Amino acid sequence: MRTTVGIIGAGPAGLLLARLLHEAGVESVVLESRDRAYVEQRQRAGILEQGTVDVLRAAGAGERMDREGLRHDGIELRFDRTRHRVDLPALTGGSAVTVYAQTEVCKDLIALQLKEGGPLLFGAEALAVEDADGGHPRVRFRHGGREDVLHCDYVVGCDGFWGVARRAVPAALSRVFERTYPYAWLGILADVPPSHDELVYARHDRGFALLSMRSPAVSRLYLQVPEGTDAGAWSDEDVWDELERRLETGDDWRLDRGPVTAKSVTPMRSFVHEPMRYGRLFLAGDAAHIVPPTGAKGLNLAVGDVVTFARALVHERDTGSADLLDAYSETCLRRVWQAERFSYDMTTLLHRAPDATPFDDRVQLARLRRIAGSRAAETDLAEAYTGFPLG
Ligand code: APR
Ligand code: PHB
Protein backbone atom coordinates (compact mmCIF):
# COMPACT_ATOMS: atom_id res chain seq x y z
CA MET A 1 0.00 0.00 0.00
CA ARG A 2 1.09 3.58 -0.61
CA THR A 3 -0.23 6.94 0.45
CA THR A 4 0.87 10.51 1.10
CA VAL A 5 0.28 10.59 4.86
CA GLY A 6 0.22 7.40 6.91
CA ILE A 7 -1.72 8.01 10.11
CA ILE A 8 -1.34 5.61 13.03
CA GLY A 9 -4.29 5.68 15.42
CA ALA A 10 -7.97 6.62 15.09
CA GLY A 11 -8.43 8.59 18.28
CA PRO A 12 -9.45 12.24 17.93
CA ALA A 13 -5.98 13.21 16.67
CA GLY A 14 -5.77 10.67 13.84
CA LEU A 15 -9.41 11.01 12.82
CA LEU A 16 -9.38 14.80 12.70
CA LEU A 17 -6.09 14.81 10.81
CA ALA A 18 -7.52 12.46 8.18
CA ARG A 19 -10.50 14.77 7.84
CA LEU A 20 -8.40 17.96 7.55
CA LEU A 21 -6.19 16.33 4.92
CA HIS A 22 -9.20 15.07 2.99
CA GLU A 23 -10.62 18.62 2.97
CA ALA A 24 -7.29 19.89 1.65
CA GLY A 25 -7.12 17.25 -1.07
CA VAL A 26 -4.27 15.26 0.52
CA GLU A 27 -4.44 11.45 0.57
CA SER A 28 -4.08 9.51 3.78
CA VAL A 29 -4.58 6.05 5.24
CA VAL A 30 -5.51 5.54 8.91
CA LEU A 31 -4.43 2.39 10.75
CA GLU A 32 -6.27 1.65 14.00
CA SER A 33 -5.47 -1.43 16.08
CA ARG A 34 -8.85 -1.67 17.87
CA ASP A 35 -12.28 -2.24 16.37
CA ARG A 36 -14.79 0.49 15.62
CA ALA A 37 -17.11 -0.30 18.53
CA TYR A 38 -14.24 -0.03 21.00
CA VAL A 39 -13.10 3.35 19.68
CA GLU A 40 -16.66 4.66 19.73
CA GLN A 41 -17.34 3.54 23.28
CA ARG A 42 -14.16 4.57 25.09
CA GLN A 43 -15.07 7.11 27.78
CA ARG A 44 -12.91 10.22 27.81
CA ALA A 45 -13.27 13.88 28.74
CA GLY A 46 -15.72 16.17 27.03
CA ILE A 47 -14.79 19.83 27.17
CA LEU A 48 -14.10 21.53 23.84
CA GLU A 49 -12.31 24.86 23.73
CA GLN A 50 -13.73 27.51 21.41
CA GLY A 51 -10.83 26.91 18.99
CA THR A 52 -11.61 23.18 18.88
CA VAL A 53 -15.27 23.88 18.15
CA ASP A 54 -14.27 26.24 15.33
CA VAL A 55 -11.91 23.66 13.80
CA LEU A 56 -14.51 20.86 13.89
CA ARG A 57 -17.11 23.14 12.37
CA ALA A 58 -14.77 24.33 9.60
CA ALA A 59 -13.88 20.69 8.86
CA GLY A 60 -17.57 19.92 8.27
CA ALA A 61 -17.72 17.79 11.42
CA GLY A 62 -19.73 20.15 13.60
CA GLU A 63 -23.31 19.42 12.68
CA ARG A 64 -24.28 17.17 15.61
CA MET A 65 -21.97 19.05 17.98
CA ASP A 66 -23.85 22.26 17.16
CA ARG A 67 -27.14 20.51 17.84
CA GLU A 68 -26.28 18.50 20.94
CA GLY A 69 -23.25 20.24 22.44
CA LEU A 70 -23.88 22.47 25.46
CA ARG A 71 -22.24 25.89 25.54
CA HIS A 72 -20.97 26.70 29.03
CA ASP A 73 -20.23 30.28 29.99
CA GLY A 74 -18.89 29.49 33.42
CA ILE A 75 -17.41 27.00 35.84
CA GLU A 76 -17.82 26.87 39.57
CA LEU A 77 -14.99 26.54 42.09
CA ARG A 78 -16.17 25.08 45.36
CA PHE A 79 -14.08 25.18 48.54
CA ASP A 80 -14.71 25.66 52.23
CA ARG A 81 -18.42 25.00 51.56
CA THR A 82 -18.55 28.19 49.46
CA ARG A 83 -19.11 28.61 45.71
CA HIS A 84 -17.37 30.90 43.28
CA ARG A 85 -18.48 31.18 39.67
CA VAL A 86 -15.86 32.03 37.03
CA ASP A 87 -17.60 33.93 34.24
CA LEU A 88 -15.60 32.80 31.19
CA PRO A 89 -16.81 35.22 28.46
CA ALA A 90 -16.70 38.22 30.78
CA LEU A 91 -13.04 37.54 31.55
CA THR A 92 -11.85 36.52 28.09
CA GLY A 93 -13.63 38.86 25.72
CA GLY A 94 -16.32 36.35 24.83
CA SER A 95 -14.78 32.86 24.94
CA ALA A 96 -16.68 29.89 26.34
CA VAL A 97 -16.35 26.10 26.23
CA THR A 98 -18.63 23.42 24.82
CA VAL A 99 -19.58 20.22 26.59
CA TYR A 100 -19.59 17.49 23.93
CA ALA A 101 -18.05 14.12 24.70
CA GLN A 102 -14.89 12.99 22.97
CA THR A 103 -16.60 9.70 22.09
CA GLU A 104 -19.20 11.69 20.16
CA VAL A 105 -16.49 13.66 18.34
CA CYS A 106 -14.92 10.34 17.35
CA LYS A 107 -18.23 8.87 16.18
CA ASP A 108 -18.89 11.92 13.99
CA LEU A 109 -15.39 11.84 12.48
CA ILE A 110 -15.50 8.07 11.84
CA ALA A 111 -18.85 8.36 10.06
CA LEU A 112 -17.51 11.17 7.86
CA GLN A 113 -14.27 9.35 7.09
CA LEU A 114 -16.03 6.13 6.10
CA LYS A 115 -18.48 8.06 3.93
CA GLU A 116 -16.18 10.51 2.20
CA GLY A 117 -12.57 10.02 3.21
CA GLY A 118 -9.70 7.70 2.45
CA PRO A 119 -9.13 4.24 3.94
CA LEU A 120 -9.64 3.84 7.68
CA LEU A 121 -8.63 0.33 8.68
CA PHE A 122 -9.81 -1.03 12.02
CA GLY A 123 -8.04 -4.04 13.48
CA ALA A 124 -4.84 -2.79 11.80
CA GLU A 125 -2.02 -2.72 14.30
CA ALA A 126 1.11 -0.74 13.46
CA LEU A 127 4.19 -2.74 14.46
CA ALA A 128 6.92 -0.23 13.65
CA VAL A 129 7.75 2.94 11.74
CA GLU A 130 10.80 2.39 9.55
CA ASP A 131 13.18 4.75 7.75
CA ALA A 132 11.57 7.75 9.49
CA ASP A 133 14.57 9.95 8.78
CA GLY A 134 15.04 8.79 5.19
CA GLY A 135 13.07 9.75 2.10
CA HIS A 136 10.67 6.82 2.19
CA PRO A 137 9.18 6.22 5.60
CA ARG A 138 6.92 3.22 5.99
CA VAL A 139 4.70 1.65 8.58
CA ARG A 140 4.79 -2.09 9.10
CA PHE A 141 1.41 -3.29 10.28
CA ARG A 142 -0.72 -6.39 10.81
CA HIS A 143 -4.27 -6.57 9.47
CA GLY A 144 -6.55 -9.59 9.24
CA GLY A 145 -3.77 -11.92 10.34
CA ARG A 146 -1.38 -10.69 7.60
CA GLU A 147 1.63 -8.41 7.78
CA ASP A 148 1.73 -5.54 5.32
CA VAL A 149 3.66 -2.34 4.68
CA LEU A 150 2.28 1.16 4.18
CA HIS A 151 4.68 3.33 2.17
CA CYS A 152 4.25 7.04 2.83
CA ASP A 153 5.69 10.49 2.22
CA TYR A 154 4.97 11.33 5.86
CA VAL A 155 3.94 9.33 8.90
CA VAL A 156 1.97 10.90 11.73
CA GLY A 157 1.95 8.97 15.00
CA CYS A 158 -1.47 9.62 16.54
CA ASP A 159 -1.31 6.33 18.43
CA GLY A 160 -1.64 7.61 21.98
CA PHE A 161 0.62 7.16 24.96
CA TRP A 162 1.03 3.38 24.47
CA GLY A 163 1.63 3.50 20.72
CA VAL A 164 4.67 2.49 18.68
CA ALA A 165 5.44 5.67 16.70
CA ARG A 166 7.38 7.40 19.48
CA ARG A 167 9.76 4.43 19.63
CA ALA A 168 11.05 5.25 16.15
CA VAL A 169 12.77 8.35 17.53
CA PRO A 170 16.33 7.36 18.50
CA ALA A 171 16.86 7.40 22.25
CA ALA A 172 19.81 9.72 21.86
CA LEU A 173 17.53 12.41 20.40
CA SER A 174 14.57 11.94 22.75
CA ARG A 175 13.95 13.87 25.91
CA VAL A 176 11.13 12.92 28.19
CA PHE A 177 9.68 15.19 30.87
CA GLU A 178 7.39 13.44 33.28
CA ARG A 179 5.53 13.74 36.54
CA THR A 180 3.15 11.28 38.16
CA TYR A 181 0.66 12.21 40.84
CA PRO A 182 -0.02 10.09 43.92
CA TYR A 183 -3.75 9.97 43.17
CA ALA A 184 -6.20 9.00 40.44
CA TRP A 185 -9.78 9.78 39.41
CA LEU A 186 -12.68 7.44 39.97
CA GLY A 187 -15.26 8.45 37.35
CA ILE A 188 -18.90 7.50 37.03
CA LEU A 189 -21.55 8.03 34.39
CA ALA A 190 -25.06 8.25 35.82
CA ASP A 191 -28.51 8.50 34.32
CA VAL A 192 -29.54 11.58 36.24
CA PRO A 193 -29.77 15.23 35.17
CA PRO A 194 -26.68 17.13 36.35
CA SER A 195 -27.26 18.77 39.74
CA HIS A 196 -25.78 22.01 38.48
CA ASP A 197 -25.98 23.55 35.01
CA GLU A 198 -22.22 24.23 34.86
CA LEU A 199 -19.15 22.18 35.86
CA VAL A 200 -18.23 22.23 39.54
CA TYR A 201 -14.59 21.79 40.60
CA ALA A 202 -14.43 21.12 44.33
CA ARG A 203 -11.49 21.25 46.71
CA HIS A 204 -12.15 19.41 49.97
CA ASP A 205 -10.03 18.13 52.87
CA ARG A 206 -11.09 14.61 51.83
CA GLY A 207 -9.92 15.21 48.25
CA PHE A 208 -11.04 16.66 44.92
CA ALA A 209 -14.46 16.12 43.34
CA LEU A 210 -15.82 17.18 39.94
CA LEU A 211 -19.37 17.42 38.74
CA SER A 212 -19.57 17.30 34.96
CA MET A 213 -22.10 16.08 32.42
CA ARG A 214 -22.59 14.46 29.06
CA SER A 215 -26.09 15.77 28.29
CA PRO A 216 -29.06 17.31 30.12
CA ALA A 217 -29.97 13.76 31.20
CA VAL A 218 -26.55 12.23 31.93
CA SER A 219 -24.13 13.23 34.69
CA ARG A 220 -20.41 12.55 34.73
CA LEU A 221 -18.78 12.78 38.16
CA TYR A 222 -15.29 12.19 39.49
CA LEU A 223 -13.64 11.64 42.86
CA GLN A 224 -9.97 11.85 43.73
CA VAL A 225 -8.92 8.38 44.96
CA PRO A 226 -5.53 6.91 45.90
CA GLU A 227 -3.32 5.86 43.00
CA GLY A 228 -3.89 2.20 42.14
CA THR A 229 -7.51 2.15 43.36
CA ASP A 230 -9.68 -0.63 41.92
CA ALA A 231 -12.99 0.82 40.69
CA GLY A 232 -14.77 -2.34 41.82
CA ALA A 233 -13.83 -1.59 45.42
CA TRP A 234 -16.31 1.30 45.46
CA SER A 235 -20.04 0.55 45.61
CA ASP A 236 -22.33 3.01 43.85
CA GLU A 237 -23.62 4.16 47.20
CA ASP A 238 -20.11 4.77 48.53
CA VAL A 239 -19.37 6.93 45.47
CA TRP A 240 -22.52 9.02 45.91
CA ASP A 241 -21.93 9.42 49.66
CA GLU A 242 -18.39 10.62 49.06
CA LEU A 243 -19.41 12.97 46.25
CA GLU A 244 -22.04 14.43 48.53
CA ARG A 245 -19.49 15.09 51.27
CA ARG A 246 -16.96 16.73 49.01
CA LEU A 247 -19.44 18.82 47.03
CA GLU A 248 -21.38 19.99 50.09
CA THR A 249 -22.11 23.73 50.33
CA GLY A 250 -23.36 26.02 53.07
CA ASP A 251 -26.56 26.76 51.12
CA ASP A 252 -29.45 24.57 50.00
CA TRP A 253 -27.68 22.97 46.97
CA ARG A 254 -28.35 19.22 46.72
CA LEU A 255 -26.73 16.40 44.74
CA ASP A 256 -29.25 14.24 42.87
CA ARG A 257 -28.45 10.54 42.57
CA GLY A 258 -29.32 8.13 39.77
CA PRO A 259 -28.38 4.74 38.32
CA VAL A 260 -24.63 4.43 37.69
CA THR A 261 -23.98 3.08 34.18
CA ALA A 262 -20.16 3.09 34.14
CA LYS A 263 -17.36 3.30 36.66
CA SER A 264 -13.63 3.50 35.95
CA VAL A 265 -10.33 4.79 37.29
CA THR A 266 -8.09 7.22 35.37
CA PRO A 267 -4.44 7.61 36.37
CA MET A 268 -2.94 11.10 36.51
CA ARG A 269 0.27 11.91 34.72
CA SER A 270 2.08 14.78 33.04
CA PHE A 271 4.34 13.69 30.17
CA VAL A 272 6.05 15.44 27.27
CA HIS A 273 8.27 13.87 24.62
CA GLU A 274 10.61 16.25 22.80
CA PRO A 275 11.01 16.68 19.91
CA MET A 276 7.62 15.98 18.33
CA ARG A 277 9.23 15.35 14.96
CA TYR A 278 11.95 13.07 13.69
CA GLY A 279 12.63 13.29 9.96
CA ARG A 280 9.35 12.46 8.20
CA LEU A 281 7.70 11.16 11.35
CA PHE A 282 5.52 13.59 13.30
CA LEU A 283 3.98 12.84 16.70
CA ALA A 284 0.57 14.28 17.61
CA GLY A 285 -1.75 14.12 20.61
CA ASP A 286 -1.21 11.66 23.43
CA ALA A 287 1.63 9.99 21.50
CA ALA A 288 3.71 13.06 22.35
CA HIS A 289 2.19 14.43 25.54
CA ILE A 290 -0.18 13.64 28.38
CA VAL A 291 -1.82 16.07 30.77
CA PRO A 292 -3.69 15.18 33.95
CA PRO A 293 -7.42 15.49 33.20
CA THR A 294 -8.11 18.35 35.62
CA GLY A 295 -7.91 21.09 33.00
CA ALA A 296 -9.60 19.01 30.26
CA LYS A 297 -6.82 19.88 27.82
CA GLY A 298 -5.95 16.46 26.30
CA LEU A 299 -8.31 16.50 23.35
CA ASN A 300 -7.79 20.21 22.68
CA LEU A 301 -4.02 19.76 22.52
CA ALA A 302 -4.41 16.88 20.08
CA VAL A 303 -6.54 19.14 17.87
CA GLY A 304 -3.89 21.87 17.98
CA ASP A 305 -1.18 19.44 16.87
CA VAL A 306 -3.00 18.05 13.86
CA VAL A 307 -4.19 21.48 12.72
CA THR A 308 -0.57 22.63 12.87
CA PHE A 309 0.59 19.61 10.86
CA ALA A 310 -2.13 19.90 8.23
CA ARG A 311 -1.42 23.61 7.73
CA ALA A 312 2.31 22.98 7.45
CA LEU A 313 1.86 20.21 4.89
CA VAL A 314 -0.50 22.25 2.74
CA HIS A 315 1.92 25.18 2.98
CA GLU A 316 4.69 22.97 1.65
CA ARG A 317 2.54 21.65 -1.17
CA ASP A 318 1.38 25.13 -2.17
CA THR A 319 4.64 27.07 -1.79
CA GLY A 320 7.36 24.43 -1.83
CA SER A 321 8.59 25.74 1.52
CA ALA A 322 9.15 23.25 4.36
CA ASP A 323 9.48 26.08 6.90
CA LEU A 324 6.25 25.26 8.74
CA LEU A 325 6.97 21.53 8.79
CA ASP A 326 10.42 22.29 10.17
CA ALA A 327 8.84 24.46 12.86
CA TYR A 328 6.18 21.84 13.74
CA SER A 329 7.73 20.56 16.94
CA GLU A 330 8.57 23.97 18.32
CA THR A 331 5.18 25.44 17.37
CA CYS A 332 3.29 22.61 19.05
CA LEU A 333 5.49 22.44 22.12
CA ARG A 334 4.94 26.09 23.00
CA ARG A 335 1.22 25.43 23.32
CA VAL A 336 1.76 22.02 24.90
CA TRP A 337 3.83 23.47 27.72
CA GLN A 338 1.22 26.14 28.44
CA ALA A 339 -1.34 23.34 28.78
CA GLU A 340 1.06 21.29 30.91
CA ARG A 341 1.57 24.29 33.16
CA PHE A 342 -2.15 24.95 33.46
CA SER A 343 -3.09 21.30 34.05
CA TYR A 344 -0.43 21.03 36.74
CA ASP A 345 -1.69 24.23 38.38
CA MET A 346 -5.32 23.10 38.34
CA THR A 347 -4.37 19.66 39.63
CA THR A 348 -2.28 20.91 42.54
CA LEU A 349 -4.80 23.66 43.28
CA LEU A 350 -7.64 21.21 43.81
CA HIS A 351 -6.28 17.81 44.90
CA ARG A 352 -5.14 16.87 48.34
CA ALA A 353 -1.80 15.05 48.27
CA PRO A 354 -1.55 12.10 50.69
CA ASP A 355 1.37 13.84 52.43
CA ALA A 356 -0.22 17.32 52.44
CA THR A 357 0.65 19.33 55.54
CA PRO A 358 -1.60 21.89 57.25
CA PHE A 359 0.64 24.52 55.63
CA ASP A 360 -0.10 23.08 52.16
CA ASP A 361 -3.83 23.16 52.91
CA ARG A 362 -3.69 26.83 53.87
CA VAL A 363 -1.69 27.74 50.77
CA GLN A 364 -4.19 25.87 48.59
CA LEU A 365 -7.09 27.78 50.13
CA ALA A 366 -5.18 31.03 49.72
CA ARG A 367 -4.66 30.26 46.02
CA LEU A 368 -8.40 29.62 45.62
CA ARG A 369 -9.34 32.77 47.50
CA ARG A 370 -6.91 34.73 45.35
CA ILE A 371 -8.70 33.50 42.21
CA ALA A 372 -12.07 34.32 43.74
CA GLY A 373 -10.90 37.76 44.88
CA SER A 374 -8.71 39.05 42.09
CA ARG A 375 -9.90 39.69 38.58
CA ALA A 376 -6.32 39.34 37.35
CA ALA A 377 -5.92 35.87 38.90
CA GLU A 378 -9.35 34.81 37.72
CA THR A 379 -8.64 36.05 34.18
CA ASP A 380 -5.48 33.95 34.08
CA LEU A 381 -7.54 30.85 34.84
CA ALA A 382 -10.35 31.75 32.41
CA GLU A 383 -7.94 32.40 29.53
CA ALA A 384 -6.20 29.06 29.98
CA TYR A 385 -9.45 27.17 30.53
CA THR A 386 -11.07 28.47 27.35
CA GLY A 387 -7.83 27.86 25.44
CA PHE A 388 -4.84 29.59 23.96
CA PRO A 389 -5.03 30.52 20.28
CA LEU A 390 -3.78 28.03 17.70
CA GLY A 391 -0.49 28.75 15.99
N1 APR B 1 -1.41 0.68 15.77
C1 APR B 1 -2.60 1.26 15.43
N2 APR B 1 -3.32 2.00 16.31
C2 APR B 1 -2.84 2.15 17.55
C3 APR B 1 -1.62 1.58 17.96
C4 APR B 1 -0.90 0.81 17.00
N3 APR B 1 0.26 0.24 17.32
N4 APR B 1 -1.41 1.91 19.26
C5 APR B 1 -2.45 2.65 19.63
N5 APR B 1 -3.33 2.80 18.62
C6 APR B 1 -4.60 3.55 18.62
C7 APR B 1 -5.42 3.37 19.88
O1 APR B 1 -6.22 2.20 19.84
C8 APR B 1 -6.26 4.62 19.87
O2 APR B 1 -7.47 4.45 19.19
O3 APR B 1 -4.31 4.91 18.60
C9 APR B 1 -5.41 5.64 19.13
C10 APR B 1 -4.91 6.74 20.02
O4 APR B 1 -6.02 7.53 20.40
P1 APR B 1 -6.08 8.35 21.77
O5 APR B 1 -5.47 7.57 22.85
O6 APR B 1 -7.47 8.81 21.92
O7 APR B 1 -5.09 9.58 21.52
P2 APR B 1 -5.28 10.95 20.71
O8 APR B 1 -6.00 10.73 19.43
O9 APR B 1 -3.95 11.58 20.73
O10 APR B 1 -6.29 11.79 21.56
C11 APR B 1 -5.95 12.48 22.69
O11 APR B 1 -7.40 11.21 24.02
O12 APR B 1 -6.42 10.14 25.84
C12 APR B 1 -7.29 11.12 25.42
O13 APR B 1 -7.30 12.74 27.07
C13 APR B 1 -6.75 12.39 25.86
O14 APR B 1 -8.46 13.66 25.06
C14 APR B 1 -7.15 13.26 24.77
C15 APR B 1 -7.14 12.50 23.56
C1 PHB C 1 -15.40 15.31 31.84
O1 PHB C 1 -16.57 15.67 31.71
O2 PHB C 1 -15.05 14.16 31.60
C2 PHB C 1 -14.38 16.29 32.32
C3 PHB C 1 -14.77 17.60 32.47
C4 PHB C 1 -13.85 18.53 32.93
C5 PHB C 1 -12.57 18.15 33.24
C6 PHB C 1 -12.18 16.83 33.09
C7 PHB C 1 -13.10 15.89 32.61
O3 PHB C 1 -11.71 19.07 33.71
Side-chain angles (χ1 to χ4, degrees):
M1 275 176 95
R2 199 335 350 103
T3 189
T4 307
V5 182
I7 301 173
I8 311 175
L15 290 167
L16 178 61
L17 177 58
R19 179 67 189 171
L20 294 172
L21 294 176
H22 170 78
E23 293 277 286
V26 178
E27 264 184 28
S28 73
V29 171
V30 184
L31 305 175
E32 166 58 50
S33 56
R34 312 302 295 245
D35 62 29
R36 180 177 178 182
Y38 178 88
V39 173
E40 292 190 339
Q41 238 113 87
R42 199 165 35 191
Q43 275 303 321
R44 295 282 182 68
I47 304 295
L48 311 185
E49 294 174 357
Q50 188 60 53
T52 296
V53 167
D54 295 344
V55 166
L56 288 169
R57 214 174 264 153
E63 195 205 320
R64 196 160 66 94
M65 171 187 75
D66 282 333
R67 245 185 305 125
E68 298 177 13
L70 311 168
R71 178 187 154 104
H72 279 204
D73 282 339
I75 56 171
E76 185 174 301
L77 299 177
R78 214 172 262 198
F79 52 98
D80 237 4
R81 293 163 54 91
T82 61
R83 322 163 59 159
H84 175 78
R85 180 172 188 266
V86 178
D87 184 333
L88 300 170
L91 294 159
T92 58
S95 295
V97 295
T98 296
V99 174
Y100 188 63
Q102 180 172 316
T103 40
E104 305 308 315
V105 173
C106 288
K107 281 183 207 164
D108 297 346
L109 288 167
I110 288 171
L112 275 175
Q113 185 69 13
L114 294 177
K115 191 164 138 229
E116 303 170 4
L120 160 54
L121 307 184
F122 289 101
E125 185 192 2
L127 304 172
V129 179
E130 296 172 343
D131 197 28
D133 63 337
H136 304 285
R138 53 191 181 269
V139 184
R140 239 176 355 95
F141 68 100
R142 193 176 357 198
H143 188 224
R146 275 189 51 227
E147 273 202 27
D148 208 338
V149 178
L150 178 62
H151 297 268
C152 319
D153 294 335
Y154 300 93
V155 175
V156 185
C158 299
D159 48 352
F161 182 68
W162 303 104
V164 297
R166 202 170 60 235
R167 288 188 221 147
V169 184
L173 300 179
S174 289
R175 278 198 78 184
V176 164
F177 303 83
E178 197 167 11
R179 186 182 209 286
T180 54
Y181 301 83
Y183 33 77
W185 278 14
L186 174 71
I188 60 164
L189 269 179
D191 284 335
V192 59
S195 297
H196 191 57
D197 52 5
E198 293 175 342
L199 270 64
V200 178
Y201 290 85
R203 186 259 169 222
H204 193 278
D205 284 344
R206 299 176 63 90
F208 170 71
L210 170 61
L211 183 156
S212 179
M213 62 200 71
R214 288 292 173 266
S215 71
V218 177
S219 295
R220 175 78 169 152
L221 297 126
Y222 297 96
L223 281 176
Q224 174 189 344
V225 292
E227 194 185 11
T229 295
D230 173 12
W234 284 73
S235 73
D236 296 356
E237 204 184 328
D238 289 344
V239 175
W240 286 115
D241 288 348
E242 190 61 21
L243 285 165
E244 202 164 86
R245 280 188 206 105
R246 297 189 194 179
L247 289 165
E248 193 189 31
T249 61
D251 56 30
D252 60 358
W253 181 87
R254 289 287 167 271
L255 178 65
D256 292 325
R257 301 184 179 200
V260 173
T261 57
K263 197 187 293 164
S264 61
V265 172
T266 312
M268 314 265 294
R269 158 190 295 125
S270 302
F271 171 92
V272 180
H273 178 279
E274 293 187 3
M276 286 174 60
R277 175 208 184 168
Y278 172 61
R280 290 175 168 265
L281 167 67
F282 295 75
L283 302 176
D286 279 18
H289 41 72
I290 299 281
V291 286
T294 324
K297 289 293 170 216
L299 167 65
N300 297 291
L301 276 185
V303 168
D305 293 348
V306 298
V307 167
T308 303
F309 176 79
R311 271 187 201 156
L313 189 65
V314 168
H315 180 73
E316 191 200 37
R317 180 194 64 190
D318 294 347
T319 68
S321 160
D323 286 0
L324 295 185
L325 283 173
D326 291 342
Y328 172 81
S329 183
E330 216 179 297
T331 305
C332 291
L333 284 169
R334 261 199 301 274
R335 196 158 173 276
V336 166
W337 277 110
Q338 282 307 318
E340 292 288 348
R341 190 270 307 170
F342 173 66
S343 305
Y344 168 86
D345 277 357
M346 282 285 274
T347 301
T348 56
L349 175 71
L350 295 163
H351 291 72
R352 190 154 196 282
D355 61 351
T357 64
F359 178 87
D360 297 331
D361 290 338
R362 286 288 193 276
V363 167
Q364 221 176 25
L365 282 170
R367 285 169 69 192
L368 282 158
R369 291 196 183 111
R370 172 77 186 154
I371 292 166
S374 150
R375 194 173 166 96
E378 199 182 12
T379 302
D380 185 49
L381 188 155
E383 284 182 354
Y385 194 82
T386 52
F388 298 108
L390 277 170

